[in-house]
Amino acid sequence: MAKILLEMKNITKTFPGVKALDNVNLKVEEGEIHALVGENGAGKSTLMNVLSGVYPHGTYEGDIIYNGEICNFHDIKDSEAKGIVIIHQELALIPYMTIGENMFLGNERGKSFAINWDETYGMAEKYIKQVGLTEPARTYIKDIGVGKQQLVEIAKALAKKAKLLILDEPTSSLNESDSKALLDLMLKLKEEGMTSIIISHKLNEVSYVADKITVIRDGSTIETLTKGVDDFSEDRIIRGMVGREIADRFPKRHDVKIGDVNMEVKNWTVYHPLYNERKVVDNVSIKVRKGEVVGISGLMGAGRTELAMSVFGRSYGANISGQLILNGKEVHLKNVRDAIEHKLAYVTEDRKGDGLILSNSIKINTSLANLKGVSSNGVINPDKEYAVAEEYRGKLKTKCPTVEQNVGNLSGGNQQKVLLAKWMFADPDILILDEPTRGIDVGAKYEIYCIINDLAAAGKSVVMISSELPEILGMSDRIYVMNEGKIAGELGAEEASQEKIMACILKSSKGE
């Protein structure tokens, strides 16, 4: 029988007004990959923050037994000293430092006030090779993609002599090929004796990589499933997560009425803002109709976000050329304010960095894009602002004790709803949604899909950028495929498939 490396017994964690964890139990065997799944706000990340010392001993009830010993961690350094290393969803890397410098930041090689750079870079190269990176250790973080940055984080954990590796949503920002590479690395590390805990909403990835799955719902442990013994299907996992069957992942749209073209982008070309010779969007033309959901698919770096942001008031790019036609008239949007006034909205893929003010309330965030709607004579009316936030809280079923709560204290799915509310209150005709369900659970995704369908039914035009092919196929009336800054193909919903989308990309790459 395998050795129990970690046991968390009767863990209870309370925040003001909220019991985040209620008597949670978890057992992890040595050398296994153990997945934690549950809806946003279920308590998964909170449990791992208890384990890693982010929430120190004394702020929770229950016991952590690691390697047969009761552990009272007071900070991350305490847990790392035992070989427990957590990699958070938001990567903790400094762009203008090298891979080697990042790997040993806070874990420097050498003596006090004298870093041994030869040892630093020599050891960095060893761990870089172990995780499958080919870049030299002196490469700057800003010069590698997100997928490779995730591998640097794992190399950094290995350099800390990790015995138990915790990965919180490690593939949420990765495309399919980078995700597969990371999961295969986890399996390789498992063969070398590493024990891992993975938190993920991507259930196909969980089924692929995990030996066991523990389901957490509403702060309580529901069940643990074992590969080869229990049903590991996505439907079975979802039933445990949400407490019910979800018959159809994508809600059906009824009485679809697609109207006239209300946005046309013609011969749109955009150059990189720093490297002015580099074309990131190359002669792109697309059309969007009223009541239509148009998907934009493509691999990471295809130019989808660059296209969306450059159209949205030139908020990205340099030397932008081409025509933007809204409701039959060519317009020249100089900035984001112009875009909002022309009834155009862009829901960013980076809700925490660019979409929301995390230190402010739901109420304040909801009205940000339409302050005129809650003002009289240039002065914000707090009662009206509160009423608007309450209205959208009800419409979008946002889970929160009050709209005065800070957005930073909400789960990812509820933050996404606040971001949508902000732009819905601006009353746009066209919404560009960039990765609208990134990092949120199946139940919350379904609710976001219902909101998208309601917007289309109300005659709005929705452009949805997504790296998840099932999502693009399940939600779109029409799909544009982008590759290397160009439109590689256009597919109707009835003819589209994952194979056809990938075929468009491959043909485009070959220059056919």
Side-chain angles (χ1 to χ4, degrees):
M1 188 173 172
K3 173 187 172 185
I4 301 295
L5 179 67
L6 169 72
E7 186 172 4
M8 301 184 77
K9 294 176 73 173
N10 308 318
I11 303 294
T12 298
K13 171 70 178 167
T14 304
F15 296 103
V18 180
K19 187 176 270 190
L21 298 173
D22 187 5
N23 216 36
V24 170
N25 293 284
L26 175 70
K27 284 184 182 179
V28 179
E29 291 182 358
E30 193 169 52
E32 77 175 1
I33 298 175
H34 198 116
L36 273 183
V37 301
E39 294 187 272
N40 287 102
K44 309 178 297 294
S45 295
T46 303
L47 184 66
M48 290 301 98
N49 284 335
V50 166
L51 172 58
S52 59
V54 172
Y55 299 134
H57 180 257
T59 65
Y60 61 88
E61 297 169 31
D63 292 317
I64 298 170
I65 302 166
Y66 180 73
N67 231 350
E69 174 189 349
I70 292 181
C71 296
N72 299 327
F73 300 135
H74 294 285
D75 53 31
I76 288 180
K77 283 196 172 182
D78 281 357
S79 62
E80 287 185 349
K82 294 284 186 182
I84 300 171
V85 181
I86 185 167
I87 299 173
H88 293 281
Q89 186 175 352
E90 280 80 29
L91 301 182
L93 299 172
I94 299 173
Y96 286 91
M97 291 179 77
T98 64
I99 292 173
E101 286 172 320
N102 271 279
M103 279 178 58
F104 290 97
L105 194 61
N107 183 28
E108 286 81 6
R109 305 292 90 188
K111 297 176 182 177
S112 54
F113 306 111
I115 293 173
N116 185 330
W117 291 111
D118 290 338
E119 184 183 352
T120 297
Y121 284 111
M123 290 185 71
E125 293 289 356
K126 171 190 164 187
Y127 292 113
I128 286 168
K129 189 176 179 183
Q130 190 176 348
V131 300
L133 273 174
T134 55
E135 277 73 13
R138 294 179 187 273
T139 305
Y140 286 104
I141 291 294
K142 69 179 179 64
D143 294 329
I144 62 174
V146 178
K148 291 181 177 180
Q149 288 180 25
Q150 192 69 263
L151 297 181
V152 171
E153 283 279 21
I154 295 175
K156 184 176 173 182
L158 296 178
K160 293 175 180 174
K161 308 298 181 190
K163 296 182 181 68
L164 174 60
L165 188 61
I166 305 164
L167 300 104
D168 192 349
E169 297 288 355
T171 65
S172 65
S173 299
L174 306 186
N175 61 33
E176 288 192 20
S177 59
D178 283 344
S179 297
K180 177 73 163 49
L182 188 139
L183 297 172
D184 286 339
L185 173 61
M186 288 182 68
L187 292 170
K188 174 176 169 279
L189 292 173
K190 174 190 164 184
E191 288 175 9
E192 296 169 4
M194 179 69 73
T195 308
S196 301
I197 297 173
I198 179 172
I199 297 173
S200 180
H201 291 308
K202 297 183 179 180
L203 301 185
N204 59 326
E205 295 180 358
V206 166
S207 301
Y208 174 69
V209 82
D211 299 297
K212 287 183 182 169
I213 300 170
T214 292
V215 179
I216 296 180
R217 186 168 75 232
D218 297 330
S220 300
T221 313
I222 301 301
E223 60 189 349
T224 295
L225 307 174
T226 303
K227 187 173 276 186
V229 177
D230 299 302
D231 182 359
F232 246 46
S233 68
E234 291 184 35
D235 288 342
R236 174 67 186 82
I237 299 166
I238 291 166
R239 190 166 74 240
M241 286 170 58
V242 302
R244 65 186 189 281
E245 299 278 359
I246 292 185
D248 195 338
R249 231 45 108 66
F250 303 100
K252 294 281 184 278
R253 286 168 64 199
H254 304 288
D255 301 322
V256 177
K257 293 175 184 173
I258 295 176
D260 298 331
V261 172
N262 67 339
M263 182 174 84
E264 186 173 2
V265 178
K266 282 176 138 181
N267 307 320
W268 199 259
T269 297
V270 181
Y271 288 82
H272 194 284
L274 298 178
Y275 308 104
N276 289 341
E277 73 290 346
R278 187 174 144 210
K279 207 181 276 187
V280 290
V281 178
D282 189 357
N283 203 37
V284 164
S285 296
I286 65 170
K287 291 180 181 178
V288 188
R289 293 175 171 82
K290 292 178 182 176
E292 186 179 36
V293 178
V294 172
I296 302 184
S297 182
L299 302 177
M300 196 76 72
R304 299 166 302 167
T305 293
E306 291 82 354
L307 170 64
M309 290 182 69
S310 60
V311 166
F312 183 63
R314 297 175 179 255
S315 50
Y316 174 89
N319 301 325
I320 299 170
S321 61
Q323 292 177 284
L324 175 61
I325 300 162
L326 299 178
N327 292 311
K329 293 180 182 177
E330 184 174 355
V331 296
H332 301 277
L333 307 180
K334 299 185 187 71
N335 50 42
V336 168
R337 179 179 286 183
D338 273 0
I340 294 170
E341 287 177 355
H342 281 84
K343 300 286 188 178
L344 185 61
Y346 170 65
V347 179
T348 175
E349 63 179 333
D350 183 6
R351 59 179 172 259
K352 291 187 176 181
D354 297 331
L356 298 166
I357 302 174
L358 300 183
S359 58
N360 277 358
S361 66
I362 295 165
K363 178 184 78 173
I364 289 171
N365 274 278
T366 302
S367 60
L368 272 177
N370 183 17
L371 290 174
K372 286 180 182 176
V374 292
S375 301
S376 302
N377 301 318
V379 178
I380 292 173
N381 182 330
D383 292 337
K384 194 167 186 182
E385 194 175 36
Y386 187 92
V388 165
E390 275 291 345
E391 179 189 343
Y392 282 94
R393 173 195 181 186
K395 275 184 184 175
L396 275 57
K397 300 177 185 172
T398 308
K399 291 178 186 172
C400 59
T402 166
V403 294
E404 299 287 1
Q405 183 174 11
N406 279 0
V407 169
N409 295 332
L410 298 177
S411 67
N414 287 306
Q415 286 180 356
Q416 193 67 22
K417 289 179 183 180
V418 175
L419 182 58
L420 280 169
K422 165 184 152 180
W423 286 111
M424 287 168 67
F425 180 53
D427 193 27
D429 293 332
I430 302 146
L431 287 97
I432 304 172
L433 310 179
D434 198 348
E435 302 286 1
T437 67
R438 171 170 288 168
I440 63 177
D441 64 75
V442 175
K445 279 185 178 184
Y446 189 87
E447 291 177 343
I448 298 289
Y449 298 148
C450 289
I451 293 164
I452 291 170
N453 285 351
D454 289 346
L455 289 166
K460 309 289 186 186
S461 301
V462 179
V463 177
M464 187 172 75
I465 297 167
S466 177
S467 298
E468 295 187 32
L469 291 181
E471 180 170 86
I472 283 283
L473 293 165
M475 291 299 296
S476 305
D477 297 303
R478 204 158 40 87
I479 298 165
Y480 287 105
V481 182
M482 281 191 75
N483 187 45
E484 296 174 352
K486 299 178 182 178
I487 297 294
E490 181 184 348
L491 300 165
E494 65 289 340
E495 61 174 323
S497 67
Q498 293 199 27
E499 292 76 17
K500 285 188 177 179
I501 289 173
M502 291 311 297
C504 287
I505 292 169
L506 292 171
K507 280 184 184 178
S508 168
S509 296
K510 291 174 185 173
E512 293 179 24

